Amino acid sequence: MKIYTLITKSHKVFFDRFFLPSYREINKNKKFSLHLCESEQIGEKGEYGEKGFRETMADKVRMVIKAIEDNMGEFIIYSDVDVQFFKGFEEDIFKYNDKTVDIYAQNDTPKCPENVILCAGFMIINCNDKTLNVFKDTLKIIHYFEHDQYAFNYLKNKLNWSILPEDKYYTIAYNTGNDLWRFEKYDNIPSGILMHHGNWVGGIENKLKLLDYIKSEISRKNTI
């Protein structure tokens, strides 16, 4: 399976410290191939809400469109670089292959079931005409929204989508209740998570701290 990701200057630290080392661990059997796209750094820090952030997300959507076009009839993964993988990912991910499903994604609001927001930072994409058209339309309307995720969710009901299990495909919102992480410690982080997407935290340095915390917590739980 092909995994696509986008790298900017500010976010290369996530790729080097978390994404790539963990990817190498889960790809020892060579079941995945990694496809990188570099985007010009527009904003100073590349942080959410910063000037230039939306333009970088538009580059991401363009990359996804090209990836779908190159892999019609197949499933691919798009992953942000602030993601780390854990043991078991490679066995589980291939279960999400129902051709009637267009997108498998994380729920970005796991504690708000009445208002599901699909996370555009980690998606299993069924490369077909429906997904291609939705991402093309996302690119057309992105300038009306803060970023690609809001634009994509405006169109999501044109697709047959499914939520990935939150205790396996994890964000800290599972514990914070859809609030930003402010360095809290939790005893109930699921020990069997297969990947962690480091969102729901503000700033590059804080995101690094969150990724480190989850990595150390999963390592601790799995050695008890």
Side-chain angles (χ1 to χ4, degrees), residues 165-182:
E166 295 157 9
D167 59 344
K168 294 181 179 180
Y169 297 84
Y170 172 84
T171 75
I172 197 67
Y174 179 97
N175 289 95
T176 63
N178 305 339
D179 196 3
L180 291 179
W181 182 65
R182 296 178 178 86

Side-chain angles (χ1 to χ4, degrees), residues 7 10 64 114 124 155 203 213:
I7 299 178
S10 61
V64 171
E114 70 279 6
I124 306 170
L155 302 167
Y213 167 59

Side-chain angles (χ1 to χ4, degrees), residues 39 42 50-60 62:
S39 178
I42 300 173
E50 184 185 42
K51 182 179 179 181
F53 183 81
R54 180 170 55 197
E55 287 76 10
T56 299
M57 295 302 96
D59 282 348
K60 171 183 134 181
R62 292 185 187 96

Side-chain angles (χ1 to χ4, degrees), residues 136-152:
K136 284 183 174 180
D137 288 344
T138 297
L139 187 60
K140 289 177 183 177
I141 67 172
I142 192 172
H143 60 282
Y144 293 114
F145 297 86
E146 287 184 50
H147 48 69
D148 63 308
Q149 182 165 290
Y150 288 167
F152 173 74

Side-chain angles (χ1 to χ4, degrees), residues 66-84:
K66 180 64 165 57
I68 294 172
E69 290 174 336
D70 290 346
N71 295 279
M72 293 296 281
E74 304 293 332
F75 282 94
I76 61 171
I77 295 171
Y78 170 78
S79 177
D80 284 350
V81 290
D82 57 340
V83 161
Q84 54 187 332

Side-chain angles (χ1 to χ4, degrees), residues 1-217:
M1 181 181 279
K2 295 178 182 177
I3 301 179
Y4 288 82
T5 193
L6 185 78
I7 299 178
T8 59
K9 181 180 178 181
S10 61
H11 281 49
K12 190 174 184 296
V13 62
F14 302 123
F15 180 78
D16 291 341
R17 283 180 53 180
F18 297 97
F19 186 101
L20 186 58
S22 64
Y23 167 79
R24 285 173 172 163
E25 282 297 311
I26 60 98
N27 196 37
K28 289 181 177 178
N29 293 323
K30 307 299 181 184
K31 294 182 179 180
F32 305 101
S33 60
L34 185 58
H35 299 260
L36 309 179
C37 179
E38 293 190 20
S39 178
E40 180 184 357
Q41 184 79 42
I42 300 173
E44 181 180 351
K45 297 181 180 179
E47 294 181 354
Y48 177 87
E50 184 185 42
K51 182 179 179 181
F53 183 81
R54 180 170 55 197
E55 287 76 10
T56 299
M57 295 302 96
D59 282 348
K60 171 183 134 181
V61 176
R62 292 185 187 96
M63 185 196 70
V64 171
I65 290 169
K66 180 64 165 57
I68 294 172
E69 290 174 336
D70 290 346
N71 295 279
M72 293 296 281
E74 304 293 332
F75 282 94
I76 61 171
I77 295 171
Y78 170 78
S79 177
D80 284 350
V81 290
D82 57 340
V83 161
Q84 54 187 332
F85 305 100
F86 296 97
K87 185 178 179 180
F89 175 88
E90 68 277 22
E91 287 89 23
D92 191 77
I93 197 72
F94 290 97
K95 298 175 184 177
Y96 306 101
N97 61 1
D98 184 344
K99 285 290 189 178
T100 67
V101 177
D102 300 306
I103 293 279
Y104 294 93
Q106 291 178 291
N107 182 2
D108 209 37
T109 52
K111 303 304 181 183
C112 189
E114 70 279 6
N115 183 31
V116 172
I117 296 177
L118 300 183
C119 180
F122 186 86
M123 303 175 285
I124 306 170
I125 303 170
N126 184 355
C127 299
N128 58 34
D129 289 334
K130 287 172 66 180
T131 55
L132 179 61
N133 289 333
V134 163
F135 280 103
K136 284 183 174 180
D137 288 344
T138 297
L139 187 60
K140 289 177 183 177
I141 67 172
I142 192 172
H143 60 282
Y144 293 114
F145 297 86
E146 287 184 50
H147 48 69
D148 63 308
Q149 182 165 290
Y150 288 167
F152 173 74
N153 274 272
Y154 182 77
L155 302 167
K156 72 175 184 288
N157 288 333
K158 293 185 177 182
L159 300 173
N160 181 19
W161 49 266
S162 182
I163 297 295
L164 292 165
E166 295 157 9
D167 59 344
K168 294 181 179 180
Y169 297 84
Y170 172 84
T171 75
I172 197 67
Y174 179 97
N175 289 95
T176 63
N178 305 339
D179 196 3
L180 291 179
W181 182 65
R182 296 178 178 86
F183 314 109
E184 301 93 340
K185 305 298 182 183
Y186 296 99
D187 293 328
N188 62 333
I189 294 174
S191 61
I193 67 172
L194 306 179
M195 61 80 66
H196 165 230
H197 180 201
N199 60 358
W200 285 99
V201 63
I204 300 294
E205 291 304 316
N206 290 342
K207 192 183 288 280
L208 289 168
K209 291 176 182 177
L210 174 59
L211 288 158
D212 267 325
Y213 167 59
I214 297 300
K215 181 179 178 180
S216 63
E217 186 67 9

